[in-house]
């Protein structure tokens, strides 16, 4: 009885109740018009690098860059560069490369300059000392196809999905029942910690759900746990900054970081249809 | 006849084989894309939508396919309307505390009015130009260097006798940045200049003009932190302070600050204030 009334008395700060009695029983799950209310977490890792541009975007950029140069005021070179200085010599080399690129429609202005700059750096001893190489756009995890790594698909948004120990509908976003007197965002934080461990630096975007999904329980489940005929899951949006999912091996046995395109391979079509509009296309 | 020939020729030119670009295999890169713009459209805009969403101010849904189930239920459950006594409508007069001028009513929230950066204005007033006009040239060249756009000269609109300012005198320079140049300037400001400013912990949490536009004033020393100026610092006889105003489409200061913090502009939080 105390277990039922205490959270209600405490009202909004329901999690406070745990400090009063540690032996308190788990609170009843929240049921509203025959549906159990659950809180789901759409935990995403945002793109780490700018996406590849399409060939059309590249061509458009190259074309507009040349168009701009034609109508641009010439650079007052004697203002910016001292006569006979290294900087002036380099600028003249860049300018020659630009003039060449202007004449040839197949050459890109900025890429022509990049090439001469690489040559200049190779010739210079000091820049060679602290020369840096740009990394590959494909990571090690991409090559191994390691779906548990956060370093995969650097250009895309990755979403965390977890596997429950059952045959049907095993893969889904982390989710759990909202307890009575608990807020949706509190429940989301608690569930994520319970299912995926404390080893993640997570930021919840606001306190409002970004979408919902309602489903009916299978009949044997309703017979076993009467009181609700289905569940409504409200999804909260969150970003992960660091750390990794550490499943508890009870509620959750496996996890994966997947893109929106890969998600239909794991979840049912109904589930994907319900969640697809919350997910970023990239 | 001539028209037909012209059409034939121009259409022939538009054939795919005559285009200057090829869609063949090229090395994958982000060539031609703007980093901050991509960041805004892929991450910030969606988060701003969630963060600034208000269930009490939502536009009616604009679904392509109407919710048939809800429409049917509505039609079935239609009840006989009872005559309702309507109270005489009192014309509502909007007022603002302290008799201040009214602000426009905020539009209802939907996907098409997420706050976005409209333009950035970089502006410098050169007081020395009152005595000697050519002092303005230094500021002109400096703003042109850091924004890659030709500034416009601002002339005094009124005379101020105390400052010895007369109407029509050149007194400042201004650049308005939009689109690609705007994002490039913001990128430079956030990544290179702001982290190197001394004794500056971020914009105050009260910044904003009330309608979501935010401005920062910079001392003359900040101009030298731009990479374009750093290389040819000796060429500028005088460094000037300047203002940068971020014009956003946000309706409130809070939304404007949210948008700017999405671009990594630092804001002084409560924590840094208590540390002092």
């Amino acid at each position: 009885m105390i277990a039922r009334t205490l959270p209600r008395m405490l009202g909004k700060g329901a999690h406070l109740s745990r400090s009063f009695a540690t032996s308190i029983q788990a609170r009843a799950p929240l049921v509203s018009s025959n549906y159990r209310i659950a809180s789901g977490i759409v935990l995403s890792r945002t793109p780490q690098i700018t996406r590849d541009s399409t060939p059309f975007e590249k061509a458009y950029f190259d074309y507009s860059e040349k168009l701009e140069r034609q109508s641009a005021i010439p650079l007052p070179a004697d203002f910016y560069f001292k006569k006979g200085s290294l900087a002036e010599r380099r600028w003249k080399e860049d300018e020659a490369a630009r003039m060449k690129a202007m004449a040839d429609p197949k050459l890109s202005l900025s890429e022509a300059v990049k090439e001469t700059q690489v040559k200049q750096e190779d010739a210079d001893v000091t820049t060679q000392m602290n020369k840096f190489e740009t990394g590959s756009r494909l990571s090690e995890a991409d090559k191994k196809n390691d779906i548990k790594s956060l370093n995969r698909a650097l250009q895309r948004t990755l979403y965390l999905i977890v596997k429950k120990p059952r045959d049907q509908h095993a893969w889904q976003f982390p989710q759990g029942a909202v307890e009575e007197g608990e807020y949706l965002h509190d429940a989301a934080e608690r569930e994520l910690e319970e299912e995926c461990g404390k080893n993640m630096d997570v930021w919840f975007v606001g306190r409002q759900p970004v979408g919902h999904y309602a489903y009916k329980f299978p009949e044997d489940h309703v017979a076993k746990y009467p009181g609700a005929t289905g569940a409504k899951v409200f999804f909260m949006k969150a970003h992960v900054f660091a750390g990794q999912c550490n499943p508890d091996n009870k509620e959750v046995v496996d996890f994966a970081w997947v893109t929106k395109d890969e998600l239909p391979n794991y979840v049912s079509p109904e589930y994907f249809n319900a969640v697809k509009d919350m997910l970023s296309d990239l | 006849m001539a028209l037909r020939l012209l059409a034939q020729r121009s259409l022939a030119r538009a054939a795919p084989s005559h285009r200057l670009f090829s869609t063949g295999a090229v090395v994958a890169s982000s060539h031609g894309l703007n980093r901050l713009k991509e960041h805004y459209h892929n991450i910030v805009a969606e988060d701003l939508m969630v963060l600034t969403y208000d269930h009490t101010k939502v536009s009616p849904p604009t679904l392509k396919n109407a919710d048939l189930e809800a429409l049917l239920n509505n039609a079935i459950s239609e009840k006989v309307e009872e005559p309702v006594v309507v109270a005489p409508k009192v014309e509502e007069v909007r007022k603002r505390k302290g008799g201040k001028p009214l602000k426009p009513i905020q539009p209802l929230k939907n996907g098409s009015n997420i706050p976005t950066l409209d333009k950035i204005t970089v502006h410098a007033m050169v007081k020395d130009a009152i005595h000697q006009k050519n002092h303005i040239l230094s500021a002109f060249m400096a703003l042109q260097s850091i924004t890659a756009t030709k500034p416009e000269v601002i002339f005094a609109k009124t005379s101020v006798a105390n400052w010895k300012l007369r109407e029509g005198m050149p007194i400042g320079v201004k650049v308005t940045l939009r689109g690609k140049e705007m994002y490039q300037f913001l990128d430079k400001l956030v990544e290179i200049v702001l982290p190197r400013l001394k004794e500056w912990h971020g914009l105050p949490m009260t910044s904003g003009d009330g309608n979501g536009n935010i401005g920062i004033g910079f001392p003359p020393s900040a101009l030298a932190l731009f990479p374009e100026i750093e290389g040819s610092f000796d060429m500028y006889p005088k460094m000037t302070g300047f203002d940068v105003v971020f014009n956003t489409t946000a309706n409130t200061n809070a939304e404007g600050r949210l948008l700017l913090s999405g671009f990594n502009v630092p804001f002084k939080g409560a924590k840094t204030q208590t540390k002092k």
Side-chain angles (χ1 to χ4, degrees):
Chain A
M1 192 60 203
I2 291 170
R4 293 296 296 270
T5 51
L6 196 57
R8 245 180 255 161
M9 278 157 57
L10 288 165
K12 286 164 186 174
H15 57 275
L16 273 176
S17 58
R18 286 191 183 155
S19 61
F20 285 89
T22 43
S23 61
I24 209 159
Q25 284 175 3
R27 279 171 287 160
L30 182 64
V31 176
S32 171
S33 47
N34 259 352
Y35 276 96
R36 190 175 287 175
I37 304 299
S39 182
I41 302 107
V42 181
L43 183 61
S44 65
R45 191 229 55 193
T46 50
Q48 303 291 292
I49 55 175
T50 313
R51 70 179 166 89
D52 287 343
S53 46
T54 62
F56 181 76
E57 279 170 330
K58 278 181 188 148
Y60 176 76
F61 174 75
D62 290 343
Y63 175 69
S64 56
E65 204 178 30
K66 284 183 183 175
L67 211 61
E68 269 167 35
R69 188 180 155 83
Q70 279 175 350
S71 58
I73 33 173
L75 183 85
D78 45 348
F79 178 83
Y80 289 107
F81 308 111
K82 271 187 195 135
K83 256 199 178 151
S85 67
L86 180 68
E88 193 202 23
R89 211 181 66 220
R90 282 185 171 176
W91 177 74
K92 275 184 177 162
E93 277 170 24
D94 289 352
E95 200 60 10
R98 277 195 207 101
M99 295 295 274
K100 205 178 144 201
M102 285 300 280
D104 188 351
K106 276 179 190 161
L107 286 178
S108 157
L109 262 182
S110 48
E111 271 174 7
V113 176
K114 242 182 242 168
E115 273 168 34
T116 55
Q117 276 169 355
V118 169
K119 269 183 215 159
Q120 288 163 2
E121 272 171 26
D122 288 343
D124 195 359
V125 186
T126 47
T127 48
Q128 241 179 356
M129 297 270 281
N130 35 22
K131 199 177 166 187
F132 67 91
E133 299 237 332
T134 41
S136 166
R137 294 174 77 78
L138 285 176
S139 67
E140 282 295 310
D142 281 324
K143 284 166 197 162
K144 287 184 201 155
N145 200 16
D146 178 9
I147 51 164
K148 290 189 178 180
S149 170
L150 270 165
N151 279 336
R152 65 184 294 263
L154 298 175
Q155 303 175 31
R156 305 289 310 268
T157 311
L158 292 180
Y159 296 99
L160 175 68
I161 51 170
V162 294
K163 191 183 181 187
K164 305 249 161 138
R166 59 191 178 208
D167 295 332
Q168 282 195 322
H169 308 293
W171 286 98
Q172 58 180 202
F173 289 127
Q175 74 172 56
V178 176
E179 292 166 357
E180 255 185 59
E182 194 180 31
Y183 279 136
L184 270 180
H185 65 270
D186 284 337
E189 273 177 54
R190 178 178 53 76
E191 279 299 332
L192 189 66
E193 207 173 294
E194 279 173 15
E195 291 188 358
C196 303
K198 291 179 178 176
N199 198 13
M200 266 196 293
D201 186 6
V202 169
W203 175 58
F204 277 87
V205 184
R207 294 179 167 188
Q208 306 183 64
V210 290
H212 89 291
Y213 172 50
Y215 63 93
K216 293 276 182 197
F217 288 144
E219 272 172 24
D220 55 322
H221 189 276
V222 180
K224 226 198 256 173
Y225 308 100
T229 56
K232 277 182 184 167
V233 191
F234 290 89
F235 290 101
M236 312 297 289
K237 193 179 181 185
H239 292 306
V240 64
F241 296 120
Q244 182 56 285
C245 177
N246 193 9
D248 59 354
N249 285 329
K250 283 179 215 150
E251 271 186 89
V252 168
V253 289
D254 201 3
F255 72 95
W257 291 96
V258 294
T259 63
K260 188 184 182 181
D261 297 344
E262 293 161 349
L263 197 59
N265 303 338
Y266 293 86
V267 301
S268 66
E270 305 90 68
Y271 191 82
F272 181 72
N273 213 24
V275 300
K276 69 175 194 303
D277 290 340
M278 305 185 297
L279 311 179
S280 166
D281 283 329
L282 195 75
Chain B
M1 195 67 185
L3 263 178
R4 228 181 103 201
L5 261 177
L6 193 75
Q8 272 172 1
R9 265 186 209 167
S10 59
L11 286 176
R13 204 171 293 152
S17 58
H18 288 265
R19 290 193 185 159
L20 292 179
F21 73 93
S22 66
T23 47
V26 273
V27 185
S29 70
S30 58
H31 179 74
L33 292 183
N34 196 300
R35 195 176 71 102
L36 274 189
K37 200 175 166 191
E38 291 294 312
H39 173 70
Y40 174 78
H41 286 294
N42 294 326
I43 300 163
V44 181
E46 283 172 24
D47 283 358
L48 281 181
M49 181 72 187
V50 180
L51 283 168
T52 62
Y53 201 72
D54 187 349
H55 284 283
T56 59
K57 290 174 189 159
V58 180
S59 324
T62 50
L63 286 176
K64 269 185 204 160
N65 309 315
D67 190 353
L68 285 178
E69 203 185 323
L71 285 175
L72 267 175
N73 284 343
N74 248 352
I76 292 165
S77 65
E78 217 168 293
K79 287 165 198 164
V80 185
E81 279 182 30
E82 288 171 22
V84 187
V85 184
V86 183
K89 220 177 182 181
V90 183
E91 233 178 73
E92 207 181 307
V93 181
R94 292 202 303 135
K95 270 183 193 167
R96 223 179 128 206
K97 213 171 153 188
K100 289 174 204 157
L102 279 179
K103 280 184 184 174
I105 298 171
Q106 282 185 34
L108 298 174
K109 300 277 178 196
N110 65 33
S112 61
N113 56 23
I114 300 172
T116 170
L117 203 54
D118 177 31
K119 62 179 178 187
I120 293 180
T121 318
V122 188
H123 157 258
M125 184 202 168
V126 189
K127 254 192 178 172
D128 298 335
I130 296 172
H131 307 295
Q132 214 175 353
K133 273 181 195 166
N134 56 17
H135 274 150
I136 219 159
L137 283 174
S138 180
F140 187 95
M141 282 308 275
L143 286 207
Q144 184 170 316
S145 296
I146 64 174
T147 61
T149 311
K150 193 177 175 183
E152 51 177 310
V153 178
I154 305 293
F155 297 94
K157 281 180 194 151
T158 48
S159 309
V160 182
N162 288 349
W163 297 351
K164 294 178 181 169
L165 181 70
R166 269 171 287 121
E167 198 184 325
M169 275 171 131
I171 191 70
V173 277
K174 185 178 94 169
V175 186
T176 308
L177 300 167
R178 278 198 169 86
K180 193 176 73 184
E181 286 85 11
M182 173 180 79
Y183 282 115
Q184 275 167 359
F185 178 75
L186 181 60
D187 209 353
K188 223 158 31 191
L189 198 72
V190 164
E191 298 290 332
I192 301 168
V193 181
L194 295 184
R196 291 202 287 170
L197 278 180
K198 281 185 183 137
E199 301 281 312
W200 190 77
H201 303 288
L203 280 165
M205 278 306 278
T206 51
S207 52
D209 70 345
N211 295 320
N213 304 317
I214 292 171
I216 324 179
F218 287 95
S221 59
L223 203 55
L225 300 177
F226 280 90
E228 292 89 351
I229 307 269
E230 221 177 8
S232 54
F233 181 77
D234 302 337
M235 294 305 293
Y236 300 92
K238 248 188 156 50
M239 287 285 141
T240 56
F242 58 101
D243 297 316
V244 175
V245 182
F246 301 101
N247 278 273
T248 67
T249 60
N251 286 296
T252 60
N253 282 347
E255 282 179 8
R257 287 194 296 264
L258 260 182
L259 173 66
L260 283 199
S261 65
F263 287 123
N264 208 5
V265 176
F267 281 90
K268 255 192 303 206
K271 273 181 194 167
T272 43
Q273 275 173 347
T274 47
K275 261 183 194 172
K276 270 183 190 174

